[in-house]
């Protein structure tokens, strides 16, 4: 009787969406078009919080706008091909307004469990404003908390002894405070390479750790490649992109940048690792404005030792070492749905659909276009199931 009463008191809806980033917003819009009731739960105080609160100032979309549009609302034709962060945020805000999406903010999911008896999902979430735990019940659960939930900083030897500033890339805004300071960037993905460039532009003495092989390309090369994938095999597209990159940049191995054995498109498909879109970092590496270092072996106060036996002193370390997903923290029986890295066990193209009416949107490691596909597939599948039942 008590359980039945608690069930009645819970907020009931057809779909609970966890996360109000682009993946959650896209799912909400697709459900809205199909007139399917839903609730969006967001732990932060705004939608698209990653874009609004945890990205650096100079960020620009690395892909052309046609590959960054969310379902049912194209980016305006008069917008530039590659949007600035502020322009993309304006687009997302307009998207929220157009589809009348009203997330429940400051609401952090603590537990999501499936009730076999009622065939519903039970979602417990803490409201930060009231410090109360609220219950939501739904037939369908959409995990849209995204790939970039929790900033990851590796446990390097001696890191706790570092006497300077330590920050993750999600807390970095601009190189302005680091003028005339020595800064080490750890990580050579797009964020790391662009932050290193930004620091050098602000006259910081900049070094970057590049341990893994990376493809370095231009925005135009990747845009061309993504268009060509629609009509040519990935192996042909990869060969062309690599040829263009060699022509553009020459042999970068003498500067500490080694090209992977897999081509850029194949590498993305197999590992989820993106090519580095060069914003001018390579030129600064060639001129010595940015120093490439390898393998941190130890840190002692403000001195960092490297694999080649050399050591340098730094005032700050910026970790552009990626993020970890967070559903494993709150999704009951997560091991049956998710691998160790927090991504669905089901492989592409079936990654978005789990059992018990559970869906994952934004976990394909293939950018905003994949988020949009996942969202539309999820909404269509929910609509189909509702029709059958």
């Amino acid at each position: 009787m008590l359980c039945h009463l608690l069930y009645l008191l819970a907020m009931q809806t057809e779909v609970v969406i966890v996360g109000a980033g682009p993946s959650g917003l896209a799912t909400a819009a697709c459900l809205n078009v199909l007139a399917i009731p839903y609730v969006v739960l967001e732990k932060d105080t705004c939608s698209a919080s990653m874009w609004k609160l945890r990205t650096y100032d100079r960020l620009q979309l690395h892909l052309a706008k046609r590959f960054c549009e969310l379902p049912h609302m194209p980016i305006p034709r008069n917008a530039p091909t590659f949007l600035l962060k502020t322009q993309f945020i304006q687009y997302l805000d307009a998207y929220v307004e157009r589809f009348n999406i009203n997330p429940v903010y400051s609401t952090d999911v603590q537990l999501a469990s499936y009730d076999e008896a009622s065939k519903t999902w039970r979602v417990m979430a803490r409201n930060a404003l009231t410090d109360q735990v609220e219950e939501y019940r739904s037939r369908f659960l959409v995990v849209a908390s995204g790939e970039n939930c929790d900033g990851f900083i590796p446990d390097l030897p001696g890191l706790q002894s570092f006497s300077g500033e330590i920050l993750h890339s999600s807390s970095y805004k601009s190189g302005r405070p680091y003028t005339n300071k020595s800064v080490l960037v750890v990580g050579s993905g797009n964020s790391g390479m662009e932050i290193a460039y930004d620091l050098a532009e602000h006259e910081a003495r900049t070094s970057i750790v590049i341990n893994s092989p990376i493809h370095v390309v231009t925005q135009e090369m990747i845009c061309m490649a993504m268009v060509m994938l629609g009509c040519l095999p990935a192996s042909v597209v990869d060969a062309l992109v690599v040829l263009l990159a060699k022509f553009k940049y020459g042999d970068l191995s003498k500067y500490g940048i080694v090209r992977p054995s897999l081509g850029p498109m194949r590498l993305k498909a197999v590992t989820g690792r993106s090519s580095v879109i060069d914003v001018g970092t390579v030129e600064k590496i060639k001129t010595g404005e940015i120093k490439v270092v390898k393998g941190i072996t130890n840190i002692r106060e403000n001195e960092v030792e490297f694999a080649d036996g050399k050591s340098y002193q730094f005032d700050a370390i910026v970790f552009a070492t990626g993020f970890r997903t967070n559903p494993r923290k709150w999704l009951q029986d997560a091991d049956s749905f998710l691998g160790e890295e927090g991504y669905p066990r089901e492989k592409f193209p079936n990654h978005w659909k789990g059992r018990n009416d559970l869906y994952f949107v934004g976990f394909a490691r293939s950018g905003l276009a994949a988020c949009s596909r996942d969202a539309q597939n999820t909404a269509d599948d929910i609509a189909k199931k509702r029709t059958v039942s």
Side-chain angles (χ1 to χ4, degrees), residues 20 44 88 107 119 125 151 164 172 192 198 226-227 239 257 278 294 336 362 378-379:
D44 281 312
F88 187 60
T107 302
K119 303 297 183 186
Y172 177 92
D198 188 58
M226 293 183 72
V227 172
I257 300 174
D278 181 42
K294 300 281 185 180
S336 66
T378 294

Side-chain angles (χ1 to χ4, degrees), residues 31 37 55 85 94 132 139 152 155 193 199 223 239 274 280 291 346 358 379:
L31 292 172
T55 52
K85 177 181 81 168
Q132 298 294 310
R139 176 179 170 184
F152 172 71
D155 185 19
M193 294 287 269
L199 286 163
C223 182
S274 300
K291 181 187 298 183
E346 287 288 338
L358 174 67

Side-chain angles (χ1 to χ4, degrees), residues 49-93:
S49 60
M50 180 70 190
W51 288 89
K52 293 177 180 178
L53 306 177
R54 291 186 286 278
T55 52
Y56 43 92
D57 294 343
R58 64 163 290 116
L59 178 63
Q60 183 184 51
L61 264 65
H62 295 134
L63 299 180
K65 63 182 179 182
R66 62 181 291 188
F67 301 111
C68 301
E69 296 175 337
L70 300 187
H72 306 295
M73 182 174 154
I75 292 173
R77 296 174 65 179
N78 61 352
T81 302
F82 299 97
L83 271 62
L84 299 174
K85 177 181 81 168
T86 52
Q87 293 170 322
F88 187 60
I89 289 173
Q90 289 171 358
Y91 167 74
L92 293 176
D93 286 342

Side-chain angles (χ1 to χ4, degrees), residues 25 55 99 108 142 169 176 206 212 226-227 241 303 330 356 369:
L25 299 179
T55 52
F99 293 102
D108 190 13
V142 180
S169 59
R176 198 170 297 109
T206 307
S212 303
M226 293 183 72
V227 172
V241 172
E303 186 172 354
W330 49 264
N356 297 334

Side-chain angles (χ1 to χ4, degrees), residues 73-245:
M73 182 174 154
I75 292 173
R77 296 174 65 179
N78 61 352
T81 302
F82 299 97
L83 271 62
L84 299 174
K85 177 181 81 168
T86 52
Q87 293 170 322
F88 187 60
I89 289 173
Q90 289 171 358
Y91 167 74
L92 293 176
D93 286 342
Y95 194 83
V96 169
E97 183 177 356
R98 174 170 176 177
F99 293 102
N100 194 30
I101 303 170
N102 296 292
V104 183
Y105 294 119
S106 303
T107 302
D108 190 13
V109 172
Q110 307 289 296
L111 176 67
S113 57
Y114 187 71
D115 182 359
E116 287 285 355
S118 62
K119 303 297 183 186
T120 60
W121 283 93
R122 181 172 181 253
V123 180
M124 308 301 293
R126 182 173 295 281
N127 186 315
L129 301 179
T130 64
D131 200 33
Q132 298 294 310
V133 174
E134 302 167 344
E135 181 177 352
Y136 296 82
R137 290 269 188 163
S138 64
R139 176 179 170 184
F140 304 96
L141 176 64
V142 180
V143 180
S145 48
E147 303 172 6
N148 302 326
C149 293
D150 302 326
F152 172 71
I153 293 180
D155 185 19
L156 297 175
L159 180 60
Q160 292 184 348
S161 74
F162 185 68
S163 56
E165 181 184 3
I166 298 172
L167 69 158
H168 187 265
S169 59
S170 57
S171 299
Y172 177 92
K173 294 300 179 185
S174 166
R176 198 170 297 109
Y178 302 99
T179 299
N180 296 323
K181 293 184 178 182
S182 294
V183 184
L184 175 65
V185 179
V186 181
S188 55
N190 277 298
S191 293
M193 294 287 269
E194 192 160 357
I195 287 172
Y197 174 84
D198 188 58
L199 286 163
E201 281 286 277
H202 286 90
E203 298 183 357
R205 296 183 294 276
T206 307
S207 299
I208 184 170
V209 176
I210 302 181
N211 288 326
S212 303
I214 54 174
H215 285 289
V216 181
V217 296
T218 65
Q219 287 178 319
E220 292 75 18
M221 289 178 196
I222 286 296
C223 182
M224 176 203 70
M226 293 183 72
V227 172
M228 292 176 65
L229 280 176
C231 55
L232 292 173
S235 58
V236 174
V237 176
D238 277 342
L240 180 58
V241 172
V242 169
L243 182 64
L244 290 173

Side-chain angles (χ1 to χ4, degrees), residues 269-297:
V270 172
T271 69
R273 289 173 50 200
S274 300
S275 299
V276 170
I277 310 295
D278 181 42
V279 296
T281 311
V282 170
E283 184 61 29
K284 289 188 178 296
I285 289 173
K286 287 181 174 180
T287 61
E289 291 179 74
I290 297 174
K291 181 187 298 183
V292 174
V293 292
K294 300 281 185 180
I296 296 174
T297 56

